């Protein structure tokens, strides 16, 4: 089912950056994947997407593409505990601060909050 589902949505997968071909015997060939998945387990990502397609067979054009973009963004996101250099962290902080489009993670949680000095002082019993 997953094999057929992925092949049926080959054009949708292409819109999300996946170039997929039928390799025969229930197997697909992934010729390319989004750069943001570099280092990720692309076969498991394809299997997860295929499973989603099998479970959500109703009108999936927009719904699936939204889910697919979300899935790719989540897999590409910096995870808690990930090893990053101080330079990478500084560059990320600058990018988040300067880009008004970066306000939430792929799950909809804020990536930063504003703490006023008075709030911090209050936490340390200075207010």
């Amino acid at each position: 089912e997953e094999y057929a589902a992925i092949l049926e949505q080959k054009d949708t997968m292409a819109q999300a950056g996946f170039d997929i071909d039928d390799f025969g015997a229930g197997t697909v060939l992934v010729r390319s994947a989004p750069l943001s998945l570099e280092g990720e387990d692309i076969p498991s990502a394809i299997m997860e997407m295929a499973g989603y397609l099998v479970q959500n067979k109703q009108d999936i054009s927009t719904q699936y593409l939204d889910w697919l973009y979300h899935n790719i963004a989540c897999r590409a996101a910096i995870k808690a505990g990930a090893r990053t250099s101080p330079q990478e962290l500084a560059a990320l902080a600058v990018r988040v601060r300067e880009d008004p489009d970066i306000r939430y993670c792929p799950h909809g949680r804020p990536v930063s909050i504003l703490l006023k000095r008075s709030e911090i002082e209050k936490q340390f019993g200075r207010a």
Side-chain angles (χ1 to χ4, degrees):
E1 282 184 275
E2 288 92 355
Y3 168 73
I6 282 288
L7 290 178
E8 286 173 16
Q9 292 298 321
K10 187 176 170 181
D11 290 341
T12 304
M13 295 293 288
Q15 288 178 15
F18 291 92
D19 182 10
I20 297 173
D21 284 326
D22 185 352
F23 199 64
T27 306
V28 296
L29 173 65
V30 181
R31 294 189 183 278
S32 64
L35 184 60
S36 60
L37 290 180
E38 182 180 335
E40 286 289 320
D41 184 7
I42 293 174
S44 78
I46 296 292
M47 289 300 298
E48 183 178 349
M49 293 171 209
Y52 178 86
L53 286 169
V54 168
Q55 292 175 4
N56 297 282
K57 290 183 179 179
Q58 71 277 7
D59 175 33
I60 64 166
S61 54
T62 301
Q63 175 189 354
Y64 175 64
L65 203 50
D66 287 347
W67 179 87
L68 184 57
Y69 290 146
H70 177 271
N71 187 283
I72 292 168
C74 185
R75 287 175 175 272
I78 297 172
K79 308 288 191 294
R83 295 190 184 268
T84 52
S85 72
Q87 295 82 4
E88 289 174 305
L89 291 174
L92 179 61
V94 168
R95 185 167 174 220
V96 167
R97 187 181 71 232
E98 292 178 352
D99 188 338
D101 293 331
I102 303 174
R103 293 294 171 248
Y104 302 95
C105 76
H107 302 101
R109 295 184 291 259
V111 296
S112 64
I113 59 171
L114 175 65
L115 286 176
K116 296 180 181 175
R117 182 181 180 131
S118 61
E119 293 170 346
I120 296 172
E121 289 175 344
K122 185 176 179 181
Q123 292 296 318
F124 287 95
R126 301 267 183 194

